[in-house]
């Protein structure tokens, strides 16, 4: 298969149309067989449930080329099960998990020419999503849904290495107790846009959200979970029912414990103790880990000893080990890497 002639090294993170996408429709209480199609556009009624009441959930994952030339995805079964949880919370019919994993493979195979070559740092980003598509004007769940997956090549998240970022404690809340913070729903992102635009206008890269009930505990950013490293090399991540369970963060905690022999803790993390940590990072599919160098809380600065030039040493080991597993240099735990071709 011949690769597309794209500038893999200098690609950004924006949508590039690829050849095929997967579509399945839910109607009369069941999902149809689904198929790969060519048309990237969706025609729907003006009153579609998704347009009026934001009934939509999504996932995000990557396919990439390993050193030995295979195209693989990372733990797609976890994306499939997380999307089931998201769908149920918004009263949508779950898309079967085995069909989800199979449809991801179909989309990657059909767009293999867009999977960036090994070593370019670029990847094929995969976006599964579903939404209510029939007209809904009285407030209730839609009766008909569409599940889709498209793929788009994206560049390396950090060009020229991962530089630590500066984040601020947000005055806005991300998730209410017993709300929807734990699911991957468009609605959580819609309401975070004002907060992130405000943070950027104030010169910060990201927001740190605190728990909205007490504003004393660390939750997450708009799209990534936190890990912290203590001065005696324990890896700590916030436990909360209102953060999105990041697959990257769960994988990093496993790697910390089982590959690096570090102590790990998932527990309440009070903002007051953040100043005592040695390292901080943000975990998500896009960047794997973004190091955080500084956190600003209304003018008060917390500067981590790891500084603003490079990742802290433990964060770097976690990053190297997890990306080594993903790229096939380090043996993966059973079931983590799904070879597509
Ligand atoms: C997607 C997402 C993450 C990261 O999850 P991964 O599975 O690691 O990509 C973290 N927080 C939020 C709010 C998210 O939507």
């Amino acid at each position: 298969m011949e690769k597309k002639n794209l500038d893999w090294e200098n690609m950004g993170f924006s949508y590039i149309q690829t050849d095929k996408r997967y579509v399945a429709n839910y109607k009369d209480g069941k999902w149809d067989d689904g198929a790969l199609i060519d048309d990237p556009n969706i025609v729907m009624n003006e009153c579609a449930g998704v347009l009026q009441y934001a009934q939509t959930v999504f996932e995000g994952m990557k396919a990439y080329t390993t050193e030995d030339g295979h195209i693989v995805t990372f733990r797609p079964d976890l994306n499939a099960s997380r999307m089931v949880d998201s769908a149920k919370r918004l009263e949508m019919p779950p898309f079967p998990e085995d069909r989800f994993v199979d449809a991801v493979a179909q989309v990657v195979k059909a767009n293999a020419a867009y999977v960036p070559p090994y070593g370019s740092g670029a990847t094929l980003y995969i976006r599964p999503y579903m939404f209510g598509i029939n007209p809904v004007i009285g407030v209730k769940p839609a009766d008909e849904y569409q599940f889709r997956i498209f793929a788009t090549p994206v560049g390396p998240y950090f060009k020229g290495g991962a530089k630590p970022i500066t984040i601020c404690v947000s005055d806005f809340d991300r998730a209410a107790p017993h709300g929807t913070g734990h699911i991957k729903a468009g609605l959580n992102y819609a309401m975070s846009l004002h907060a992130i635009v405000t943070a950027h206008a104030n010169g910060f890269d990201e927001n740190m959200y605190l728990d909205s009930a007490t504003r004393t505990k660390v939750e997450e950013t708009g799209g990534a979970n936190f890990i912290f490293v203590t001065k005696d090399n324990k890896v700590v991540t916030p436990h909360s029912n209102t953060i999105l369970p990041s697959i990257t963060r769960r994988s990093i905690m496993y790697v910390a414990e089982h590959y690096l022999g570090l102590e790990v803790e998932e527990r309440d993390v009070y903002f007051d103790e953040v100043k005592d940590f040695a390292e901080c990072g943000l975990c998500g599919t896009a960047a794997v880990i973004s190091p955080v160098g500084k956190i600003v809380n209304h003018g008060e600065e917390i500067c981590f000893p790891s500084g603003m030039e490079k990742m802290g040493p433990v964060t770097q080991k976690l990053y190297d080990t997890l990306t080594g597993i993903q790229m096939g240099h380090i043996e993966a735990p059973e079931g983590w890497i799904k070879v597509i071709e």
Side-chain angles (χ1 to χ4, degrees):
M1 171 263 323
E2 198 158 333
K3 292 284 177 193
K4 298 284 170 182
N5 185 20
L6 296 171
D7 185 4
W8 307 109
E9 269 80 19
N10 295 303
M11 220 167 239
F13 202 98
S14 51
Y15 173 76
I16 296 171
Q17 190 180 312
T18 53
D19 295 342
K20 300 281 180 187
R21 63 276 305 126
Y22 179 88
V23 182
N25 287 293
Y26 181 91
K27 198 176 173 173
D28 301 328
K30 57 180 192 305
W31 288 103
D32 69 12
D33 289 341
L36 291 172
I37 62 163
D38 294 325
D39 189 354
N41 297 306
I42 300 169
V43 175
M44 67 176 90
N45 186 270
E46 60 191 352
C47 196
V50 60
L51 297 178
Q52 302 311 323
Y53 303 124
Q55 201 185 13
T56 178
V57 297
F58 68 100
E59 274 301 325
M61 56 205 295
K62 286 169 171 178
Y64 47 91
T65 309
T66 56
E67 192 167 17
D68 59 5
H70 289 297
I71 295 175
V72 305
T73 55
F74 184 70
R75 311 188 77 178
D77 51 313
L78 297 190
N79 296 95
S81 72
R82 191 168 65 185
M83 197 165 185
V84 168
D85 296 339
S86 297
K88 285 181 177 164
R89 180 64 177 78
L90 293 194
E91 289 294 333
M92 306 168 89
F95 193 71
E97 293 177 44
D98 53 336
R99 289 194 56 194
F100 177 107
V101 172
D102 176 63
V104 166
Q106 287 187 45
V107 170
V108 173
K109 254 187 212 160
N111 296 297
Y114 293 91
V115 180
Y118 173 76
S120 64
T123 54
L124 186 72
Y125 184 75
I126 303 160
R127 171 53 61 86
Y129 58 115
M130 58 185 275
F131 49 90
I133 198 167
N134 67 295
V136 176
I137 193 71
V139 177
K140 63 177 171 62
D143 303 307
E144 296 172 14
Y145 294 87
Q146 191 161 95
F147 170 87
R148 294 178 81 103
I149 305 175
F150 70 81
T152 185
V154 295
Y157 197 79
F158 297 114
K159 297 212 170 76
K163 281 273 181 191
I165 59 171
T166 300
I167 66 176
C168 63
V169 176
S170 182
D171 288 330
F172 300 100
D173 290 328
R174 193 190 85 88
H178 314 293
T180 56
H182 61 299
I183 62 165
K184 219 168 169 70
L187 57 91
N188 290 331
Y189 279 78
M191 64 92 217
S192 76
L193 297 174
H194 179 59
I196 192 66
V197 169
T198 304
H200 288 164
N202 292 329
F204 300 106
D205 298 301
E206 261 298 344
N207 280 308
M208 169 186 270
Y209 292 103
L210 302 179
D211 75 292
S212 53
T214 70
R215 292 195 157 238
T216 57
K217 289 181 273 187
V218 176
E219 293 255 291
E220 62 170 321
T221 69
N225 286 182
F226 280 101
I227 52 159
F228 298 98
V229 181
T230 64
K231 287 182 177 143
D232 56 356
N233 289 352
K234 251 184 233 159
V235 183
V236 178
T237 193
H239 174 81
S240 163
N241 296 327
T242 48
I243 69 177
L244 193 281
S246 158
I247 295 164
T248 314
R249 185 259 301 163
R250 285 183 268 166
S251 304
I252 285 167
M253 297 304 279
Y254 184 92
V255 161
E257 187 175 0
H258 298 279
Y259 281 67
L260 302 179
L262 300 172
E263 253 184 83
V264 297
E265 288 178 350
E266 185 172 349
R267 59 165 170 85
D268 286 346
V269 174
Y270 287 88
F271 183 73
D272 280 347
E273 61 179 305
V274 168
K275 62 180 188 328
D276 301 322
F277 289 123
E279 301 176 32
C280 174
L282 303 179
C283 315
T285 293
V288 184
I289 309 179
S290 318
V292 175
K294 193 194 286 188
I295 301 177
V296 181
N297 183 23
H298 300 101
E300 214 172 295
E301 294 191 350
I302 296 171
C303 298
F304 293 103
S306 47
M308 297 303 294
E309 284 307 312
K310 54 182 183 8
M311 282 193 191
V314 174
T315 308
Q316 185 74 54
K317 260 189 222 153
L318 291 166
Y319 179 86
D320 290 346
T321 310
L322 183 57
T323 54
I325 288 169
Q326 291 178 330
M327 288 299 161
H329 318 144
I330 298 174
E331 193 173 340
E334 181 71 31
W336 278 25
I337 305 295
K338 181 171 163 64
V339 177
I340 294 196
E341 67 174 43

